[in-house]
Amino acid sequence: MFKKILLATDGSRLCNESVKAAIELARNCGGRLVGLSVAARVRALTITEANCGLDPQQPGQAGRDRAVASVNLISDMARQQGVPCTVQVAEGAQPYQEIMRVAEREQCDAIFMASHAKSALQRVLLGSQTQKVLAQSRLPVLVFR
C-alpha cells in the first residue's frame, strides 16, 4: 500500500510513541521510512538576545540538537526492526510546510504524524502543525493519537 512513508516528529513523548506504529506500518506494507524533524526558526528573543544581534529566524542549537536526537531515535528503532529508513533535519518558520516539502521531494506515498489533541483554543492561538498538514497535503496523512 504505502512504499515510502514520511514520519514527522518533534521529539515529544507522543511523537516518540508514534515511531513504533510507523515502523510497524512500514514493515507490514513492505515500505520504507523517511524520518523528519523540523527545527523551527520562530521563537521569542529576550532583550539581552536582541541586543546581542541574535537572529530570531535561526533555530537555536538546542532546537537543532533536539531535532537530530529525534531523527536518530527513528533511525535506531527502524534499524532494530529491519525497516529501511533515511532521516533528515529541516529548518523552517512553518514546520508543516517543511513536512509537505520534504514529503514531495522524497516522493513519499503518505505522511505519518502524531496529534497532540490540543484544545480548540490552543489550536487557534498556537496552531496545529498536524491540522495544517491535514488541510493542505495532497498525500494521505495518517494521524497517531
Side-chain angles (χ1 to χ4, degrees), residues 17-108:
E17 290 176 18
S18 75
V19 173
K20 295 175 196 171
I23 290 170
E24 184 177 337
L25 175 64
R27 187 176 56 236
N28 290 340
C29 292
R32 60 183 300 112
L33 290 177
V34 175
L36 172 68
S37 188
V38 180
R41 288 187 188 151
V42 177
R43 69 178 186 86
L45 289 178
T46 66
I47 291 172
T48 304
E49 290 174 323
N51 289 337
C52 291
L54 293 179
D55 184 355
Q57 295 302 309
Q58 294 298 318
Q61 187 62 43
R64 280 190 294 274
D65 291 347
R66 183 175 178 168
V68 168
S70 297
V71 296
N72 286 342
L73 175 73
I74 293 170
S75 180
D76 292 345
M77 291 177 69
R79 183 175 39 257
Q80 289 171 4
Q81 296 298 317
V83 172
C85 179
T86 59
V87 296
Q88 53 191 285
V89 171
E91 294 180 4
Q94 300 292 332
Y96 78 97
Q97 290 176 340
E98 293 302 317
I99 291 166
M100 292 188 305
R101 188 178 352 265
V102 171
E104 184 176 325
R105 184 182 69 227
E106 295 292 328
Q107 299 176 334
C108 294

Side-chain angles (χ1 to χ4, degrees), residues 12-22 73 77 144-145:
S12 66
R13 183 188 57 76
L14 182 62
C15 283
N16 289 344
E17 290 176 18
S18 75
V19 173
K20 295 175 196 171
L73 175 73
M77 291 177 69
F144 180 86
R145 289 189 62 160

